[in-house]
Amino acid sequence: VEEIVRRSMSRELSEAYHNSDPRRFSQTYNAALLLAFAAAGITLVIFAILIAILPKIFFISPPPLVTAARWFLFIKALQSVTLIVFAPTFKMYKVTERFIAHNMIRLTINARGFIAAGSILYFMDLPIERAVVMFALITAGYSVTVNVFSSMLLMWRDRRLVPSPRSASRDALSRVI
């Protein structure tokens, strides 16, 4: 769901942003935010189901790894929900043609696994189940921090990006879907 939301909405947001009617952009952008919130809700349900049935679909041994796997999924659920909610705002880096900034942020986010693995291997002597949870915490925390900070920076630069759910219209919702 995260990938679908992250890759969608470009055409609609671009068309509305470059339209001469400022209401059109406000309606479309806020409709995209509402859809992102709905997708985040669906994502939470999917992760909750996965966490509940984890030991039934995967053979995980020893038992402490089941708890670690559940924490891993919980942390990744929070990461996915956050990235989905901020996806329309982050998408505005492309819409406003800030390609260098967008690519630098994506590169920074993509480095999170290397940073987390290096941190765990170099600085921490942990049992495997704690290392799994730490890996999730570092990667999710890093990704969420970079994404939220970069999105908030855009909102600060362009006040039209501050959410205003009442601005969304049914027509804009149908266009974004």
Side-chain angles (χ1 to χ4, degrees):
V1 175
E2 177 185 337
E3 191 65 23
I4 292 168
V5 171
R6 198 169 64 78
R7 291 184 181 261
S8 66
M9 302 180 203
S10 289
R11 186 179 64 79
E12 294 80 10
L13 287 172
S14 292
E15 186 274 324
Y17 182 80
H18 296 291
N19 191 299
S20 60
D21 182 6
R23 287 179 305 163
R24 180 148 176 131
F25 173 70
S26 178
Q27 291 170 346
T28 304
Y29 173 73
N30 285 290
L33 287 173
L34 289 176
L35 288 173
F37 270 94
I42 292 167
T43 300
L44 273 178
V45 169
I46 292 169
F47 270 103
I49 292 168
L50 280 173
I51 291 168
I53 65 172
L54 182 71
K56 293 172 180 55
I57 58 174
F58 296 108
F59 175 74
I60 302 173
S61 182
L65 283 178
V66 173
T67 303
R70 282 191 167 135
W71 274 107
F72 184 90
L73 284 174
F74 176 75
I75 293 164
K76 289 301 183 176
L78 295 178
Q79 174 188 341
S80 289
V81 165
T82 305
L83 296 181
I84 289 169
V85 166
F86 281 93
T89 307
F90 189 75
K91 182 65 70 181
M92 293 305 296
Y93 274 97
K94 283 186 175 179
V95 170
T96 58
E97 300 174 4
R98 292 181 170 110
F99 300 118
I100 294 173
H102 178 267
N103 290 338
M104 293 304 293
I105 294 165
R106 292 297 312 154
L107 178 67
T108 303
I109 290 172
N110 289 338
R112 69 187 182 264
F114 179 74
I115 292 167
S119 299
I120 290 169
L121 290 173
Y122 190 75
F123 297 109
M124 302 173 199
D125 185 25
L126 299 172
I128 188 70
E129 58 273 0
R130 294 201 60 211
V132 166
V133 174
M134 284 304 298
F135 182 82
L137 279 171
I138 293 169
T139 57
Y142 186 78
S143 180
V144 165
T145 300
V146 170
N147 196 285
V148 169
F149 177 76
S150 60
S151 296
M152 298 299 267
L153 182 62
L154 266 183
M155 285 183 212
W156 181 69
R157 287 182 177 168
D158 185 347
R159 304 306 290 166
R160 295 176 302 163
L161 299 179
V162 174
S164 176
R166 290 186 178 165
S167 296
S169 68
R170 289 182 193 264
D171 183 46
L173 276 170
S174 65
R175 277 195 315 270
V176 174
I177 290 175

